[in-house]
Amino acid sequence: MSRHSRPWWRDAVIYQVYPRSFADGDGDGIGDVNGLRDRLPYLRDLGIDAIWLSPWYVSPMADAGYDVADYRDIDPRFGSLAHAEAFLAEAHALDLRVIVDIVPNHCSDRHPAFAAALAAAPGAPERDLFWFRPGRGEHGDQPPNDWRSHFGGPAWTRVDDGDWYLHMFAPEQPDWNWDHPAVRADFETTLRFWLDRGVDGFRIDVADHLVKDPALPDQSTLDPAAIRPWRDQDGVHEIFRSWRAIADTYPQQAVFVGELWEPNADRFTRYLRPDELHTGFNFAFLACPWDALAFRAVIDETLGTHALVGAPATWVLSNHDVVRHVTRYGRADTSHSFAPDAMTQTADLALGTRRARAAALLSLALPGSAYVYQGEELGLPEVQDIAAELLQDPRWLRSGFTDRGRDGCRVPLPWSGTAKPYGFSPDWATADPWLPQPEAWAALSAQAQAGSRPSMLELYRRALHLRRTEPDLGDGTLTWLDGAGPAAHGVLYFRRGDGFACLVNLSAEPVPLPPHGYLLLASDPLQELKVAPDSAVWLRLV
Ligand code: NOJ
């Protein structure tokens, strides 16, 4: 099937916009919808197919918008519903599709339904929309079970009348009870609300958490190998089948992408069965260390398991929750980790940047759809020296100030100029960017890199444009090749179709260019006709 006749989402390159850090249109130091509208031509010229927006809904921002108080309106910091509608129309006019975030596991503690539940008495029906339970112990002052929040501390908070409620993330993010029909109905209304406005899909936050084991068993009583009672319960699939049935009634081929940190590839691909989600983020690829054998194993497993359900793979290097990969790949331990010290380990950024360039060519050459996290096309590193008093991620507070959290990958983008805020806010802005930008980012601004052939930005632009014109790229199959010489053990070398090959050299030695027609693109200059260590090439085959 040709690129033009297959569904758009099987090939799409999707650019993640983290709205508060992308572009500030109104000068308050926080990115917003109008700032994003102004930058749409940049995204079109980059060569992406779609934008995924992290939450833009009304929120007290206890978790940067992943605590939603109104799923059907825009937070005033970001703009208005009218701005959002104008943005959708303008993106579509530029042939860019738009995926919005939906956060169904939890809401904000300021959501009207949770406020009503708090105002009601223990046992009242309003509380059934959430997980309210009495405490344990003689005075009920112990949490109902031993579950821990992903941000640290117990997953339960006690309210004034003595009841406890469940929150798998911050206390300001109460978990919805998906066994309740009103919760299901309300989210269906939200899906239709945005589909009616023309969105092209949804990224589903912690998609595997919606259904809980209703017995709420203590984790410590369970077999450590058993599926955790707060996630990946079989009942979750029926919810996504009902969502898919709704999306399929709309003409825009709306797509679902699940956030699924699911270590078991078979369990992961159950979410991608033909009547459920279209795609899921490939975090095994994101987490993979810079090692050829490890990558090859992840790629093979991804393609093998996805083929069983007919779903396209996705290739993800970074997002707003993880250490930026320029930094990750420059460390002694190049794998991803959520451990607190992962935010602080030092890195060789020159090495990390070389590897990130090669990783871009790898991820864009693999079969399926690919994600680009804002700023990765500029080669931004993690910002590791944000002053403690400026950190805003709830993980910092919830960990008792031991885990600096994720702010280092959320620093506002540098667009232009040599002085802060590097074009992130207009010249007349009244406030500094919500997180400070490093001095070194003047050289990394989009303006500084545009037109400079060796820059990361130009590498992404050329790769994304080639990806559109090369018929063998995007969805399809991959064939591993050998013949990459003595260092073959440290090399990823594969063919797409008959006409295209990609070689990534993860070894310490230069690798001879294999036989080919001509060189389409190299992440770094060749060394005497050899592919340098930590670099990649795209080849046209004869
Ligand atoms: C995953 C999101 O990507 C992350 O940023 C957020 O903190 C949690 N889900 C909770 O919504």
Side-chain angles (χ1 to χ4, degrees):
M1 202 188 283
S2 83
R3 164 89 43 102
H4 297 291
S5 51
R6 59 192 177 225
W8 69 273
W9 43 269
R10 298 193 68 91
D11 292 303
V13 177
I14 302 172
Y15 183 97
Q16 182 189 354
V17 166
Y18 193 68
R20 61 194 292 121
S21 304
F22 187 71
D24 169 20
D26 65 5
D28 65 355
I30 298 173
D32 48 46
V33 178
N34 281 348
L36 169 58
R37 288 167 70 190
D38 289 343
R39 302 289 179 183
L40 279 172
Y42 167 87
L43 294 177
R44 189 242 354 247
D45 294 347
L46 185 59
I48 55 145
D49 302 297
I51 296 167
W52 149 38
L53 280 166
S54 280
W56 55 359
Y57 312 110
V58 176
S59 166
M61 305 285 166
D63 183 21
Y66 283 95
D67 47 320
V68 180
D70 183 347
Y71 291 83
R72 305 198 274 270
D73 202 356
I74 304 296
D75 192 273
R77 294 175 195 81
F78 296 145
S80 65
L81 197 52
H83 294 159
E85 288 170 344
F87 156 71
L88 282 166
E90 289 161 10
H92 287 155
L94 294 177
D95 262 342
L96 295 171
R97 290 188 164 86
V98 178
I99 292 174
V100 294
D101 223 300
I102 189 162
V103 189
N105 178 65
H106 45 266
C107 59
S108 160
D109 61 348
R110 314 273 179 83
H111 189 286
F114 192 72
L118 281 185
E126 289 85 347
R127 292 207 169 176
D128 293 345
L129 268 56
F130 300 92
W131 293 93
F132 278 89
R133 291 289 183 280
R136 293 198 290 201
E138 198 185 335
H139 305 291
D141 56 0
Q142 301 300 312
N145 69 21
D146 65 358
W147 297 3
R148 308 285 295 170
S149 146
H150 296 305
F151 290 159
W156 296 89
T157 288
R158 197 173 195 195
V159 301
D160 289 346
D161 56 40
D163 253 9
W164 297 72
Y165 68 89
L166 176 70
H167 52 86
M168 291 311 301
F169 293 88
E172 296 88 350
Q173 293 168 295
D175 280 42
W176 289 107
N177 171 14
W178 273 86
D179 294 335
H180 199 298
V183 171
R184 294 181 184 230
D186 194 52
F187 272 93
E188 292 184 2
T189 304
T190 295
L191 291 177
R192 291 183 197 281
F193 179 90
W194 289 106
L195 288 166
D196 287 341
R197 277 161 185 75
V199 305
D200 301 285
F202 299 89
R203 175 266 188 192
I204 308 173
D205 192 61
V206 277
D208 61 344
H209 273 47
L210 275 47
V211 173
K212 316 289 193 277
D213 178 338
L216 302 178
D218 277 325
Q219 184 199 337
S220 51
T221 62
L222 303 173
D223 175 349
I227 292 168
R228 300 279 185 261
W230 57 80
R231 57 182 295 273
D232 197 28
Q233 303 293 300
D234 287 342
V236 76
H237 295 281
E238 181 228 318
I239 297 171
F240 294 139
R241 279 190 205 107
S242 69
W243 285 21
R244 178 68 179 257
I246 291 171
D248 284 350
T249 63
Y250 282 78
Q252 61 258 49
Q253 294 189 39
V255 61
F256 291 109
V257 52
E259 189 207 14
L260 300 158
W261 286 93
E262 172 56 66
N264 179 307
D266 292 318
R267 300 282 311 174
F268 177 90
T269 39
R270 282 159 53 95
Y271 291 82
L272 309 185
R273 289 175 289 196
D275 58 349
E276 295 192 41
L277 310 183
H278 303 72
T279 56
F281 292 116
N282 188 347
F283 292 127
F285 183 71
L286 180 153
C288 189
W290 189 253
D291 176 89
L293 285 178
F295 268 123
R296 181 153 173 167
V298 168
I299 293 166
D300 281 340
E301 178 161 70
T302 300
L303 295 177
T305 50
H306 282 64
L308 296 176
V309 288
T314 69
W315 308 101
V316 188
L317 294 167
S318 278
N319 67 25
H320 65 292
D321 290 330
V322 304
V323 172
R324 282 188 177 275
H325 61 274
V326 160
T327 300
R328 256 178 15 235
Y329 290 153
R331 290 174 167 174
D333 177 357
T334 50
S335 58
H336 153 76
S337 158
F338 278 123
D341 74 335
M343 307 296 163
T344 51
Q345 292 161 35
T346 54
D348 173 345
L349 293 184
L351 176 66
T353 301
R354 266 203 316 279
R355 290 175 171 171
R357 295 172 67 90
L361 295 201
L362 170 63
S363 63
L364 294 172
L366 290 168
S369 154
Y371 282 81
V372 176
Y373 174 49
Q374 66 175 41
E376 91 174 48
E377 82 281 18
L378 303 176
L380 299 186
E382 185 81 0
V383 182
Q384 296 183 271
D385 60 356
I386 301 172
E389 65 276 13
L390 297 178
L391 292 175
Q392 302 203 15
D393 186 347
R395 274 169 54 177
W396 176 234
L397 175 71
R398 299 281 299 165
S399 66
F401 309 108
T402 55
D403 176 350
R404 291 176 61 84
R406 303 159 292 178
D407 289 330
C409 65
R410 300 174 176 181
V411 172
L413 293 191
W415 288 98
S416 57
T418 51
K420 295 180 195 178
Y422 308 121
F424 170 71
S425 300
D427 293 344
W428 43 264
T430 52
D432 291 334
W434 69 281
L435 286 174
Q437 301 156 302
E439 301 287 340
W441 282 20
L444 295 178
S445 77
Q447 184 187 47
Q449 297 193 40
S452 156
R453 211 168 160 73
S455 72
M456 185 74 95
L457 178 58
E458 290 302 334
L459 178 73
Y460 267 82
R461 283 183 177 162
R462 277 180 289 149
L464 289 167
H465 286 274
L466 274 172
R467 186 182 152 102
R468 288 195 162 185
T469 49
E470 284 297 309
D472 292 323
L473 288 181
D475 200 15
T477 55
L478 161 159
T479 308
W480 292 108
L481 299 171
D482 45 37
H489 59 280
V491 166
L492 298 169
Y493 180 33
F494 56 89
R495 182 161 64 72
R496 299 294 319 277
D498 292 329
F500 179 96
C502 172
L503 188 153
V504 190
N505 181 7
L506 297 94
S507 78
E509 302 298 327
V511 173
L513 267 184
H516 63 281
Y518 57 91
L519 179 67
L520 290 166
L521 190 57
S523 67
D524 270 308
L526 296 180
Q527 291 178 350
E528 294 168 1
L529 288 183
K530 291 183 174 169
V531 183
D534 298 312
S535 72
V537 289
W538 282 4
L539 302 171
R540 150 101 19 260
L541 299 176
V542 254

